[in-house]
Amino acid sequence: MSGSIRNLEREYNCTVRLLDDSEYTCTIQRDAKGQYLFDLICHHLNLLEKDYFGIRYVDPDKQRHWLGFTKCIAKQMKSQPPFTMCLRVKFYPPDPAALKEEITRYLVFLQIKRDLYHGRLLCKTSDAAMLAAYILQAEVGDYDPGKHPEGYSSKFQFFPKHSEKLERRISDIHKTELIGQTPEESELNFLQKAQELETYGVDPHPCKDVSGNPAFLAFTPFGFTVLQGNRRVHFLNWDEVTKLKFEAKTFHIYANQKEDKKIILTYFAPTPEACKHLWKCGVENQAFYKLDKSSQVRTVSSSNLFFKGSRFRYSGRVAKEVMEQSAKIKREPPEIHSFMFLLLSLSLSGLESLRDSAHSTPVRSVSHGDSFMPRHRHHTTDAGEGGSSQRVISDEAYCPSDSVLPTPMAEHSLELAVARHPNGAPCSIEEEESEAGTPEGQVAEFGPDGRVLRLGRTRKSLPNKEVQELHKFTLSVLRMFLVTMGLLFALLSLLIMLTESDLDIAFLRDIRKTPEFQQFHFEYFCPLRRWVACKFRWMGGFLIDK
């Protein structure tokens, strides 16, 4: 019943969480495609260099997906409306400093800052201190003893965990090395520093190797990488990767290295859906970074047999075309203003006052015509008691927190607004809550400000996994049967043409002498040939009379 009601709806409400954690809410038509929603968001942000970004959503099984721009939105979403998605960087720029406009650099800066906070950007302690100092300079400006008392850097949460020693190092760099840098300069230096790291642009996919050891697979602007423990164990340039394949939960990477050395890497994803998502991400990244023109993009099959497996084609421009198009931008760049809103003035208890001001909302607005984008930079206050190792800012093993944790559903939205650690830091799932769609069987009603007003239950409109798997198996068998029958018909037609021809081959002579062929020739083929010839003569005479 719920499926029928949904099909009768002409419009759907859609909420997209932006990189600054603000929300963009709109109404889309039932047959609207992903490109329409993406263009709306880019117009709202006054963004022209939009090929690096994408819209991500999470299905009721907590599997992440990139919204397809050429497909209908309602058909892609497996949850009930209203739909909830988020804007994220899909293709990281190989050189962030080469981006044409500052608004694009700022959005990439916000994405990488998220990566750093949630453990996806792995780095040495010295690099981590420098990155955090750049963020601090961009947020609060030059160090001022009157405004920044002892321990002020501990009010900002840059990493999943960090020590007091690292906090002091961040403060020292901010006080001495970054004086005079504008927010724009600090953000640009942050991007250039992050781009040098091995895990720049990593969107980790949890898998296991053939020995059962956990690993994270990722696609970066420079190639395919595998992370295990706290180090990178495999890296293949895009020029070396020749083919990506998957079957059920198994993912294969074929590559040619130096001296014609061919290798095959095999990993196992948690579910077939996760493996398919991994494969599609790899196909898109390889096409975007490796090809010279979008006209070179071809449809890719996940299997060697053309009648089996999935087929996918990347739709969009490639990196080189995006850079060429960006160079042609002639508009006046949007003006970006930096300022801080302090909720409370400093009092005698300077540290307590700074704790309050740390929760203020520094905003950088983009103005261009009627376009306006408020960019909220949310600060957290968890100083992080866990110590860091001497080499990396993360746990001993590479463990990106929220990119792997289950995505919270709509029923948690009210709790997320007030959920905090005892010391005031936001919950660790805050990053990915923007990617959660309404779960299957639930309908959420949102108010004008994007808050949840009411949660209700509906009947499940989707079949369970067993029915879906049976449906897929049936389609696969039917496809194989049709292809087999087509091949047999084609071979039979070719054999008949050869035997009825004048070719003098021993094999064909033997066939022509058989009684079965003689019967087929005189009783079926000759009458059919006369009938076809008669029809052609009649059509020819009709055309001549005309």
Side-chain angles (χ1 to χ4, degrees):
M1 180 183 296
S2 60
S4 301
I5 294 175
R6 175 176 171 179
N7 291 335
L8 293 176
E9 295 178 358
R10 295 181 178 274
E11 294 181 344
Y12 300 136
N13 292 328
C14 183
T15 300
V16 180
R17 180 68 63 85
L18 306 179
L19 282 162
D20 60 354
D21 287 333
S22 63
E23 291 185 351
Y24 175 77
T25 303
C26 63
T27 301
I28 60 174
Q29 297 295 324
R30 179 176 59 184
D31 57 349
K33 295 185 178 181
Q35 187 67 52
Y36 172 77
L37 177 61
F38 185 64
D39 290 340
L40 282 180
I41 297 172
C42 293
H43 178 73
H44 171 72
L45 299 178
N46 201 10
L47 178 65
L48 293 184
E49 297 174 290
K50 55 187 179 181
D51 297 85
Y52 298 106
F53 302 88
I55 299 177
R56 175 176 278 166
Y57 67 94
V58 177
D59 65 20
D61 295 326
K62 302 176 184 179
Q63 174 58 48
R64 299 190 300 172
H65 303 273
W66 289 106
L67 187 69
F69 291 163
T70 60
K71 298 179 180 179
C72 178
I73 297 176
K75 292 183 179 180
Q76 297 182 65
M77 306 295 292
K78 297 181 180 180
S79 59
Q80 295 287 340
F83 301 135
T84 304
M85 292 168 272
C86 68
L87 180 74
R88 292 291 181 263
V89 173
K90 185 176 183 179
F91 303 110
Y92 286 74
D95 183 9
L99 294 172
K100 180 74 171 182
E101 296 195 310
E102 186 180 343
I103 172 63
T104 315
R105 291 194 294 271
Y106 179 70
L107 293 176
V108 176
F109 166 77
L110 291 178
Q111 176 68 66
I112 299 177
K113 191 169 73 168
R114 284 176 175 273
D115 296 343
L116 186 67
Y117 174 68
H118 291 280
R120 292 188 288 263
L121 187 66
L122 195 68
C123 56
K124 298 179 182 178
T125 304
S126 57
D127 294 332
M130 182 60 69
L131 290 172
Y134 284 136
I135 297 175
L136 199 59
Q137 179 69 20
E139 299 288 3
V140 305
D142 291 340
Y143 171 73
D144 186 344
K147 297 179 180 179
H148 304 140
E150 186 70 22
Y152 69 100
S153 65
S154 64
K155 308 309 167 188
F156 299 85
Q157 184 73 14
F158 304 108
F159 317 104
K161 294 181 181 180
H162 57 271
S163 62
E164 294 182 0
K165 180 179 179 181
L166 179 59
E167 291 176 7
R168 290 193 297 269
R169 176 57 181 160
I170 294 171
S171 300
D172 293 340
I173 296 176
H174 178 234
K175 294 176 183 178
T176 59
E177 300 182 23
L178 305 182
I179 296 177
Q181 285 192 12
T182 64
E184 294 79 7
E185 293 173 343
S186 298
E187 291 166 2
L188 180 60
N189 291 332
F190 174 88
L191 293 176
Q192 291 175 331
K193 185 68 176 178
Q195 187 265 339
E196 298 173 357
L197 302 177
E198 290 183 348
T199 50
Y200 167 74
V202 163
D203 184 17
H205 299 258
C207 295
K208 290 185 178 181
D209 61 14
V210 292
S211 300
N213 300 317
F216 291 95
L217 277 60
F219 309 101
T220 73
F222 314 105
F224 168 79
T225 185
V226 180
L227 299 160
Q228 282 186 311
N230 60 356
R231 64 190 182 92
R232 186 175 71 181
V233 296
H234 287 292
F235 177 75
L236 299 172
N237 291 320
W238 285 123
D239 292 335
E240 297 176 340
V241 178
T242 58
K243 187 175 179 61
L244 303 174
K245 289 175 50 181
F246 87 96
E247 184 175 0
K249 299 181 182 180
T250 308
F251 181 70
H252 304 282
I253 306 98
Y254 295 78
N256 290 333
Q257 291 187 318
K258 296 180 179 179
E259 300 177 357
D260 294 332
K261 179 182 178 182
K262 296 183 179 180
I263 63 172
I264 301 176
L265 301 179
T266 301
Y267 292 91
F268 303 96
T271 63
E273 292 77 14
C275 194
K276 184 176 182 179
H277 174 65
L278 171 64
W279 173 71
K280 292 175 67 174
C281 289
V283 171
E284 289 185 315
N285 278 269
Q286 186 178 26
F288 184 81
Y289 295 113
K290 183 177 181 178
L291 301 181
D292 295 326
K293 297 180 180 179
S294 56
S295 59
Q296 298 174 344
V297 177
R298 297 290 182 264
T299 301
V300 181
S301 175
S302 62
S303 175
N304 291 331
L305 301 176
F306 68 90
F307 58 85
K308 185 181 179 182
S310 301
R311 278 167 292 280
F312 179 70
R313 177 186 174 90
Y314 167 66
S315 59
R317 291 184 292 190
V318 299
K320 293 183 179 180
E321 291 177 332
V322 173
M323 294 299 296
E324 294 173 357
Q325 191 69 22
S326 298
K328 299 178 182 179
I329 297 177
K330 300 296 183 182
R331 71 167 179 175
E332 188 71 18
E335 296 181 1
I336 301 181
H337 308 280
S338 303
F339 53 92
M340 286 282 292
F341 289 108
L342 297 179
L343 297 181
L344 298 175
S345 57
L346 294 175
S347 60
L348 294 176
S349 56
L351 189 58
E352 293 297 326
S353 177
L354 181 64
R355 183 180 296 108
D356 294 333
S357 65
H359 290 284
S360 62
T361 307
V363 178
R364 297 188 60 201
S365 60
V366 179
S367 60
H368 186 77
D370 296 332
S371 177
F372 178 79
M373 174 189 174
R375 307 181 189 174
H376 307 280
R377 300 186 178 189
H378 299 282
H379 304 301
T380 57
T381 57
D382 183 9
E385 296 299 330
S388 62
S389 65
Q390 296 182 353
R391 179 170 179 78
V392 298
I393 300 303
S394 72
D395 297 329
E396 293 182 358
Y398 180 73
C399 185
S401 57
D402 291 347
S403 60
V404 181
L405 290 178
T407 303
M409 294 302 183
E411 63 226 32
H412 299 150
S413 299
L414 292 175
E415 300 175 7
L416 287 172
V418 295
R420 293 289 184 270
H421 289 301
N423 58 4
C427 297
S428 63
I429 58 176
E430 184 175 294
E431 153 73 357
E432 299 299 336
E433 57 120 348
S434 61
E435 300 180 6
T438 306
E440 179 184 355
Q442 280 197 345
V443 174
E445 181 180 343
F446 291 88
D449 57 353
R451 295 184 179 180
V452 177
L453 300 180
R454 181 175 61 86
L455 289 174
R457 290 279 178 181
T458 63
R459 296 177 182 269
K460 294 185 178 181
S461 60
L462 293 177
N464 54 32
K465 289 187 176 180
E466 290 76 8
V467 176
Q468 292 180 357
E469 292 295 333
L470 178 61
H471 182 62
K472 291 180 180 179
F473 175 76
T474 304
L475 290 179
S476 178
V477 172
L478 180 60
R479 186 189 305 170
M480 184 180 299
F481 174 75
L482 293 176
V483 171
T484 304
M485 295 302 296
L487 290 174
L488 291 176
F489 180 77
L491 291 175
L492 181 60
S493 301
L494 178 62
L495 181 61
I496 293 174
M497 292 176 59
L498 292 175
T499 52
E500 294 294 342
S501 65
D502 296 331
L503 294 177
D504 189 15
I505 302 177
F507 171 70
L508 297 179
R509 286 199 306 268
D510 294 339
I511 294 178
R512 294 186 186 116
K513 293 178 181 179
T514 58
E516 292 81 1
F517 178 79
Q518 296 291 334
Q519 182 181 3
F520 171 80
H521 177 76
F522 291 107
E523 293 185 8
Y524 296 99
F525 184 77
C526 289
L528 178 62
R529 183 172 59 182
R530 289 194 297 268
W531 181 82
V532 172
C534 181
K535 291 296 181 180
F536 272 106
R537 287 196 299 270
W538 180 81
M539 289 294 296
F542 178 77
L543 294 177
I544 293 175
D545 293 340
K546 288 291 185 179

